[in-house]
């Protein structure tokens, strides 16, 4: 059985490579998948990642306004999760026992933190990136982005220490440090 995210993932990656809409169609598909299963945390993870990717691709292409819009959308995903969790009544919460209660996960926090970093909202970025450290699968990337954050803050020695740690956790992602550190900041 193939999940909706896996089914959607193939055309969405093609949309980023071949599309000229700056990721709008990919984000629309991620939003549609979420609307069909609003209590599936994987849909929020997918939306946060898709919005960040759309924002980053637009930033690299020089489309700063579009990039900012997508980064803001990715940064808002943890609040959307908390909002949907708040709609559960006590009985539903009691019955919710086959999986963890719906909460922002490490991958969601990672993409929110990355987006907030590039938006120049550093205290919020740090909070989200620190929370992402709890996820084994994303820990290396979270440490890398903390290094990028420290570099953007002018805290070079801390950035280098974190970069060394990121290199041990995820050698392939540590190679991206120069590109990420050179990415512009989108301030208000």
């Amino acid at each position: 059985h193939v999940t909706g995210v896996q089914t959607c993932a193939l055309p969405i990656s093609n949309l980023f490579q071949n599309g000229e809409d700056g990721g709008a169609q990919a984000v629309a598909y991620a939003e549609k998948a979420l609307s069909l299963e609003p209590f599936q945390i994987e849909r929020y993870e997918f939306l946060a990642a898709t919005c960040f990717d759309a924002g980053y691709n637009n930033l690299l292409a020089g489309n700063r306004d579009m990039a900012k819009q997508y980064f803001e959308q990715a940064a808002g995903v943890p609040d959307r999760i908390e909002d949907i969790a708040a709609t559960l009544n006590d009985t539903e919460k009691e019955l919710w026992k086959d999986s963890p209660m719906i909460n922002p996960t490490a991958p969601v926090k990672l993409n929110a933190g990355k987006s907030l970093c590039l938006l120049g909202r550093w205290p919020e970025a740090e909070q989200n990136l620190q929370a992402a450290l709890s996820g084994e699968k994303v820990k290396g990337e979270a440490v890398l982005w903390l290094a990028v954050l420290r570099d953007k803050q002018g805290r070079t020695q801390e950035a280098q220490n974190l970069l060394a740690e990121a290199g041990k956790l995820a050698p392939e992602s540590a190679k991206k440090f120069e590109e990420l550190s050179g990415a512009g900041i989108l301030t208000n």
Side-chain angles (χ1 to χ4, degrees):
H1 179 348
V2 177
T3 67
V5 168
Q6 290 169 327
T7 303
C8 289
L10 293 174
I12 288 181
S13 65
N14 289 341
L15 289 173
F16 274 122
Q17 293 170 355
N18 303 324
E20 295 187 14
D21 67 353
Q25 195 171 9
V27 171
Y29 280 134
E31 285 282 5
K32 179 67 175 175
L34 175 61
S35 73
L36 295 173
E37 296 181 302
F39 290 99
Q40 294 295 315
I41 195 64
E42 295 85 1
R43 302 305 173 260
Y44 292 92
E45 291 173 348
F46 187 62
L47 176 63
T50 303
C51 290
F52 174 79
D53 289 344
Y56 194 72
N57 288 336
N58 274 284
L59 182 61
L60 293 177
N63 302 326
R64 296 175 63 81
D65 290 340
M66 287 295 293
K68 184 176 179 181
Q69 175 187 326
Y70 289 124
F71 289 147
E72 292 284 356
Q73 192 172 353
V77 172
D79 289 338
R80 289 178 69 177
I81 294 169
E82 290 169 6
D83 289 348
I84 196 78
T87 67
L88 296 172
N89 63 40
D90 291 339
T91 303
E92 290 169 323
K93 289 176 185 175
E94 274 184 45
L95 294 172
W96 195 299
K97 56 187 171 193
D98 290 334
S99 62
M101 184 54 65
I102 188 166
N103 285 308
T105 59
V108 169
K109 291 288 196 173
L110 174 67
N111 283 295
K114 291 167 22 176
S115 296
L116 290 161
C117 180
L118 294 174
L119 287 167
R121 292 166 49 190
W122 294 337
E124 293 171 89
E126 174 147 15
Q127 182 182 22
N128 280 276
L129 293 170
Q130 290 287 349
L133 293 174
S134 67
E136 273 311 304
K137 290 183 180 178
V138 298
K139 186 174 184 175
E141 191 174 359
V143 172
L144 171 67
W145 276 91
L146 282 168
V148 170
L149 177 62
R150 293 292 180 264
D151 188 64
K152 289 184 180 298
Q153 293 171 321
R155 296 160 62 180
T156 310
Q157 187 56 53
E158 288 179 67
Q160 290 305 313
N161 294 344
L162 287 164
L163 183 58
E165 184 181 342
K168 293 175 189 168
L169 293 169
E172 68 286 348
S173 67
K175 295 174 187 170
K176 297 179 184 176
F177 179 76
E178 292 302 321
E179 175 188 326
L180 298 173
S181 287
I185 299 171
L186 303 168
T187 56
N188 292 336

